Amino acid sequence: MFRRQDDRYVATFAVDEARVLRKVASEVVGLLTDGFDPADPVVGRLFPDAYPDDPAGAAEFRRYTEGDLKTAKIDQAGAVLAALPDSAGGEVRLDAEAAEAWLRALNDARLAMGVRLEIKDGTDLGEELDDAVAEDPTSSRVFQLSVYAYLGYLQESLLNALID
């Protein structure tokens, strides 16, 4: 999908792909702004404790870093929203800085979805998707697992374009 073209990273998105990416990025922004709940497991995954064995140290670290990290994550999701074609689909052209922001935003979106979908390190995504389709091919889980897989594909594609 992404390819390097001179000093840019370029991909063409269909209308539905752009719509899904816009929704995912908007949901990440919502989670980090109005919906920010430190008790939410997704927030815990996006902002893990720096010192898991030292709750006081972790709280102190969080106090000094969480605001900047949250702002950076919102800005990264905003970079995705800003670069996406409007409503018709089309081409995205990223410079190196925007490509890095996209990688981080895609990673955050995948982490958030992974928590909600209960994806673990050893989860076979193909098997999960096959099971969900067998259970109910029209379920929201099938759609969500497909989006999760798509985000992984985009992330890998962009990363490969960056290292080429």
Side-chain angles (χ1 to χ4, degrees), residues 18-32 73-74 76-82 84 105-106 109 151:
R19 188 175 298 133
V20 165
L21 284 175
R22 188 171 302 287
K23 181 169 176 38
V24 167
S26 296
E27 286 177 358
V28 169
V29 171
L31 175 75
L32 298 173
K73 290 178 181 302
I74 292 166
Q76 291 155 23
V80 171
L81 292 169
L84 283 170
L106 290 169
L151 293 175

Side-chain angles (χ1 to χ4, degrees), residues 1 4 24 29 34 48 57 80 95 110-111 123 126-127 131 133-134 148 155 159:
M1 167 150 282
R4 187 173 186 149
V24 167
V29 171
D34 299 334
V80 171
D95 62 19
R110 288 190 80 236
L111 287 172
T123 299
E127 190 175 302
D131 290 348
V133 167
Y148 180 84
Q155 191 176 23
L159 184 58

